[in-house]
Amino acid sequence: SKDSKDGKRTATIVAREMSEFLVISKDVYLEKLSKYQEMHLRERVSLIQNSNVFRTLPWSTKVLQTVCYPMERHVYPLDTVLLKQGTKASALYMLERGEANVFKNIKLEKLGDDGKPQFVNMPLGRLGPGDCFGFRAAAGDTYGARTRHNVTIVSTSPVIVHSLTRYDIFNRIDPTAKAELRRWSSTYED
């Protein structure tokens, strides 16, 4: 605890059943944690370097690491809505494994028999490993700017995606990467 003068933890642990308690020294813990984090960072850098969008960029390893470090890995089952048209753009995603379909709801000019607007769900394409989506999360001049997704993306198989939040894009990654992602946000209509 930071309040403890001698550096020892001051928490109380209560076990309600027979348990074993493992004590690891701070040095060993930090060494193992460091190796674990380095391994995952290398995996994510490799993943980004092989993505359809990022592999064309002449970014240094250091810049790539600033993009990769805050990324979070998510696993979703078949038929999961990964991104919904009209919702707040809160993250940029990269598909590691699986596939997803891209749709856009388009308002028809003709009203329905009930006098209400009609919409058609138009398929736009398919995403696979290495594809990125959710670039709208990098749009706007500031973190607080409101941006919305223009399409819906639904998984057509179990998927693994990595996300980079809007907060991370605007506050944690290298300015070079941030500027490039913002440029792409006006190119990709998701």
Side-chain angles (χ1 to χ4, degrees):
S1 164
K2 60 184 172 188
D3 297 332
S4 176
K5 302 282 186 233
D6 59 4
K8 292 185 180 178
R9 297 215 174 261
T10 57
T12 301
I13 299 172
V14 177
R16 302 205 186 264
E17 57 189 51
M18 183 59 97
S19 304
E20 292 185 34
F21 190 71
L22 175 66
V23 178
I24 301 173
S25 73
K26 182 178 180 180
D27 293 337
V28 170
Y29 173 76
L30 291 176
E31 176 189 343
K32 298 298 180 191
L33 179 64
S34 175
K35 286 180 183 178
Y36 175 80
Q37 288 175 332
E38 287 174 18
M39 178 186 73
H40 282 279
L41 190 56
R42 279 193 308 274
E43 288 173 0
R44 288 182 178 161
V45 166
S46 175
L47 185 68
I48 279 194
Q49 287 173 328
N50 293 317
S51 77
N52 296 337
V53 173
F54 291 95
R55 72 172 163 225
T56 62
L57 297 174
W59 290 354
S60 69
T61 301
K62 184 176 181 177
V63 171
L64 285 172
Q65 286 175 341
T66 69
V67 173
C68 294
Y69 191 75
M71 289 179 89
E72 293 185 23
R73 184 178 189 262
H74 307 276
V75 179
Y76 297 108
L78 167 74
D79 287 334
T80 299
V81 175
L82 303 172
L83 195 143
K84 188 173 181 180
Q85 182 177 339
T87 60
K88 184 178 172 185
S90 60
L92 167 71
Y93 301 91
M94 189 176 73
L95 196 56
E96 176 185 349
R97 182 177 297 155
E99 294 185 333
N101 283 336
V102 182
F103 300 95
K104 183 168 183 118
N105 286 329
I106 299 173
K107 185 177 178 181
L108 299 176
E109 290 181 20
K110 181 181 173 188
L111 296 177
D113 294 337
D114 58 1
K116 294 182 180 178
Q118 290 185 310
F119 293 87
V120 64
N121 199 4
M122 177 76 69
L124 297 179
R126 189 174 196 90
L127 301 173
D131 287 331
C132 297
F133 58 95
F135 281 100
R136 301 287 301 157
D141 294 328
T142 63
Y143 167 69
R146 293 191 175 178
T147 59
R148 304 231 173 248
H149 293 297
N150 294 323
V151 297
T152 297
I153 299 178
V154 180
S155 64
T156 57
S157 68
V159 295
I160 298 174
V161 295
H162 295 265
S163 66
L164 184 64
T165 67
R166 184 172 173 80
Y167 177 84
D168 293 332
I169 292 168
F170 279 85
N171 298 296
R172 295 180 72 188
I173 67 173
D174 184 274
T176 305
K178 175 182 167 183
E180 191 68 24
L181 291 175
R182 286 188 60 223
R183 187 178 67 78
W184 286 338
S185 72
S186 62
T187 304
Y188 289 88
E189 281 298 317
D190 60 9

